[in-house]
Amino acid sequence: MKPIFFIGFMGVGKTTIGKRLGDVLNLPVIDMDHYIEDKERKTISDIFHQHGELYFRDLETRVLLELESEEAIITTGGGVVERKRNRDILGQNGSVFHLTCSFDALWERLEGDEDRPLVQKNSKDKLSALFERRFPLYEEGSSVTIQTDEKSVDEVVQAILPYIKS
């Protein structure tokens, strides 16, 4: 079995849904951001502040290559699709689910979040523009799009299960 990837904008529920699907399928779940933090021994926020976004995006590419053969559910950071190379790696190596919901629902979850560097330094309008810019990148990098608006975690997992390639 190839890995199952979750992509989508920050706050859409990739980690929560990934964990629940991992329980259902009895698969390990690897959160790429936590994986990077463990490797670097720094928080994502510290990596951004000390080394910049470009360095962080390089780390994401390296980690995707490390994890491409894992039999696991892999939850990615919201910006992993910023690089064409990353979208190519995702497309070649597993089932890729784009989780999405309305920006207004996302904003309710993200507003005031101090653990996300992009939320800290951007206004609602700038984040909305980023969401709109990234949406086609998520679509390009995914095999299936799942709407999560007004769905429970279990309802989203049930919508995903038919697409899982064993």
Side-chain angles (χ1 to χ4, degrees):
M1 178 180 191
K2 289 189 170 195
I4 298 166
F5 291 99
F6 285 107
I7 64 174
F9 204 72
M10 63 184 125
V12 78
K14 298 179 299 286
T15 301
T16 302
I17 292 162
K19 285 178 182 175
R20 184 66 55 89
L21 185 63
D23 291 341
V24 170
L25 297 177
N26 196 29
L27 286 172
V29 179
I30 301 169
D31 179 287
M32 274 185 53
D33 283 349
H34 291 143
Y35 187 90
I36 289 169
E37 287 178 335
D38 290 345
K39 277 183 77 89
E40 293 289 303
R41 293 188 174 102
K42 295 177 185 174
T43 65
I44 299 299
S45 185
D46 286 343
I47 293 168
F48 265 76
H49 287 103
Q50 293 172 15
H51 303 286
E53 186 173 355
L54 181 61
Y55 178 85
F56 178 73
R57 299 297 171 209
D58 289 341
L59 290 172
E60 283 183 318
T61 301
R62 284 195 298 252
V63 166
L64 276 176
L65 291 168
E66 286 175 25
L67 299 177
E68 68 184 349
S69 61
E70 291 290 321
E71 191 170 313
I73 295 165
I74 301 168
T75 61
T76 66
V80 73
V81 296
E82 291 284 351
R83 285 201 173 156
K84 173 86 169 96
R85 173 81 174 117
N86 292 353
R87 295 190 304 275
D88 291 343
I89 293 167
L90 287 165
Q92 295 166 0
N93 291 294
S95 299
V96 184
F97 293 92
H98 169 206
L99 302 181
T100 191
C101 65
S102 69
F103 180 78
D104 288 338
L106 284 173
W107 180 249
E108 285 181 27
R109 298 175 197 174
L110 295 173
E111 188 176 17
D113 189 331
E114 295 181 6
D115 294 328
R116 299 177 195 262
L118 290 176
V119 174
Q120 291 175 5
K121 68 178 189 176
N122 287 295
S123 66
K124 179 180 180 181
D125 288 342
K126 285 186 179 179
L127 284 175
S128 178
L130 181 63
F131 174 81
E132 293 298 325
R133 185 178 63 74
R134 283 185 180 170
F135 191 87
L137 302 177
Y138 294 129
E139 290 291 288
E140 179 185 332
S142 67
S143 45
V144 178
T145 298
I146 304 286
Q147 283 285 348
T148 63
D149 285 282
E150 299 182 28
K151 289 183 183 164
S152 70
V153 171
D154 288 326
E155 288 171 327
V156 174
V157 167
Q158 289 304 312
I160 292 167
L161 287 172
Y163 296 101
I164 302 296
K165 300 168 189 162
S166 47

